[in-house]
Amino acid sequence: VQLQASGGGLVQAGGSLRLSCAASGRTFNNYVMGWFRQAPGKEREFVASISYRGGILYYADSVKGRFTISRDNAKNTMYLQMNSLKPEDTAIYYCAVRISNIPTMSLADFGSWGQGTQVTVSS
């Protein structure tokens, strides 16, 4: 499966962005999807993950209450609605797939990384 993240940009603190992750090349069935991010000089970290039917959601503590993950399986697309953005949310955001129906928060459980989309939050 190939993934392409989009929707990043420059926004002021307190603003919002909506990221999209389009999947192609293989069926979307029964895949867990996840968002991760990597800030300059830091390791890639987990942001959120979602089960195939959307009934199980996991969030990093740093984004709980501000970010919402969702997916539209008919469109093979996953989303990340980001509200109340902070400068510390600045990073490249990546989407990835876990070929399992059991969501996790572990970066090692995911693959098929896309190229990412840059999110920059100014103070």
Side-chain angles (χ1 to χ4, degrees):
V1 59
Q2 291 79 45
L3 303 175
Q4 179 62 55
S6 62
L10 174 63
V11 64
Q12 289 187 334
S16 299
L17 283 173
R18 188 194 195 203
L19 305 184
S20 298
C21 173
S24 61
R26 190 170 176 176
T27 180
F28 212 44
N29 290 341
N30 287 329
Y31 289 178
V32 169
M33 300 288 293
W35 286 102
F36 297 80
R37 65 187 182 187
Q38 187 165 16
K42 295 186 177 181
E43 294 185 351
R44 193 170 299 188
E45 64 177 8
F46 169 81
V47 174
S49 63
I50 184 169
S51 61
Y52 174 68
R53 297 192 182 280
I56 302 174
L57 310 175
Y58 290 138
Y59 293 98
D61 288 343
S62 59
V63 306
K64 279 182 182 177
R66 300 188 298 121
F67 290 10
T68 302
I69 188 172
S70 62
R71 63 193 289 172
D72 184 339
N73 293 333
K75 296 181 179 179
N76 283 350
T77 303
M78 175 180 63
Y79 305 97
L80 186 69
Q81 177 66 43
M82 305 187 296
N83 299 327
S84 302
L85 283 162
K86 304 175 181 180
E88 50 263 45
D89 294 319
T90 294
I92 299 175
Y93 283 69
Y94 299 89
C95 53
V97 168
R98 168 168 162 77
I99 303 179
S100 166
N101 60 2
I102 302 173
T104 73
M105 296 186 285
S106 173
L107 185 149
D109 291 335
F110 287 79
S112 299
W113 299 92
Q115 289 195 343
T117 185
Q118 176 71 49
V119 172
T120 304
V121 184
S122 62
S123 58

